[in-house]
Amino acid sequence: MAKRILFVCLGNICRSPLAEGLMLRLVRENGLDVFVDSAGTANYHVGEAPDARTVKNAKKHGFDLSALRARQFDIKDFDQFDMIFVMDKNNYRDLMRLAEGKQQAEKVHLFLEFTGNTSEHEMPDPYYGAEAHFENVFQLTLKACENLCELIKSHRI
Ligand code: 4NP
């Protein structure tokens, strides 16, 4: 059965849809049986396409995120997904408040920490940042998604 992975950030318009889009491509290219989705802890941007700056930066690198639409995290996601990767510690705290029991709580991991980034454990929020911040998030996300694919391919998760 397909492994089910959910990426979560605050608005679901910058960081987590980027992770979804990059991971979707890597999963396909590597022939992995993985279902990928993303969501936001907040409802501010539900139904919207990813932030124009995120879309533009990803397009520069050959990834088309324009068809993705934001949705809010739902407590049912704890049962629908095997692993939930949050972008920062605020997202982690928000999901811990919603988690019912150890089994649900243990599904949630900080994305960068889990994928072995030793210098940064939180994905910086680029929303109030400049172009360089979006590029930094892209590079961090690409590396983390590549590492996640390696973990899946080698059956370590
Ligand atoms: P994201 O970025 O959590 O990576 O999607 C943000 C999007 C929207 C807001 C903050 C961060 N906001 O305050 O509306």
Side-chain angles (χ1 to χ4, degrees):
M1 215 172 45
K3 193 181 287 293
R4 297 177 67 88
I5 290 175
L6 181 68
F7 295 106
V8 172
C9 62
L10 174 64
N12 194 209
I13 55 168
C14 292
R15 295 165 293 175
S16 62
L18 178 64
E20 179 185 355
L22 270 55
M23 196 64 189
L24 280 170
R25 163 92 68 86
L26 292 178
V27 159
R28 198 173 57 236
E29 283 176 357
N30 286 280
L32 300 173
D33 190 17
V34 178
F35 177 81
V36 184
D37 195 10
S38 68
T41 55
N43 65 0
Y44 316 141
H45 299 282
V46 169
E48 294 178 20
D51 186 284
R53 298 162 296 173
T54 296
V55 173
K56 186 176 168 208
N57 191 265
K59 197 172 173 190
K60 198 173 83 184
H61 294 284
F63 291 86
D64 182 7
L65 306 179
S66 62
L68 300 177
R69 292 295 177 268
R71 73 168 177 93
Q72 188 173 21
F73 181 84
D74 187 290
I75 49 166
K76 289 193 206 82
D77 289 323
F78 281 119
D79 294 324
Q80 299 290 322
F81 290 90
D82 302 305
M83 308 195 79
I84 299 171
F85 294 108
V86 293
M87 296 297 149
D88 63 33
K89 290 176 183 170
N90 284 328
N91 310 146
Y92 187 84
R93 273 191 290 272
D94 287 340
L95 291 202
M96 284 307 115
R97 260 184 237 122
L98 297 173
E100 288 174 354
K102 196 166 165 229
Q103 206 197 347
Q104 292 191 349
E106 284 178 348
K107 289 184 176 183
V108 185
H109 307 274
L110 271 175
F111 186 38
L112 291 181
E113 182 180 50
F114 188 89
T115 53
N117 188 315
T118 50
S119 53
E120 289 173 77
H121 286 168
E122 294 190 275
M123 187 71 77
D125 182 352
Y127 191 67
Y128 294 105
E131 213 172 297
H133 296 93
F134 285 84
E135 177 62 18
N136 180 43
V137 166
F138 181 90
Q139 296 300 339
L140 287 168
T141 304
L142 182 59
K143 185 74 197 142
C145 286
E146 286 171 350
N147 290 348
L148 187 56
C149 272
E150 285 306 316
L151 290 170
I152 296 167
K153 275 163 80 173
S154 59
H155 305 289
R156 280 177 282 170
I157 54 169

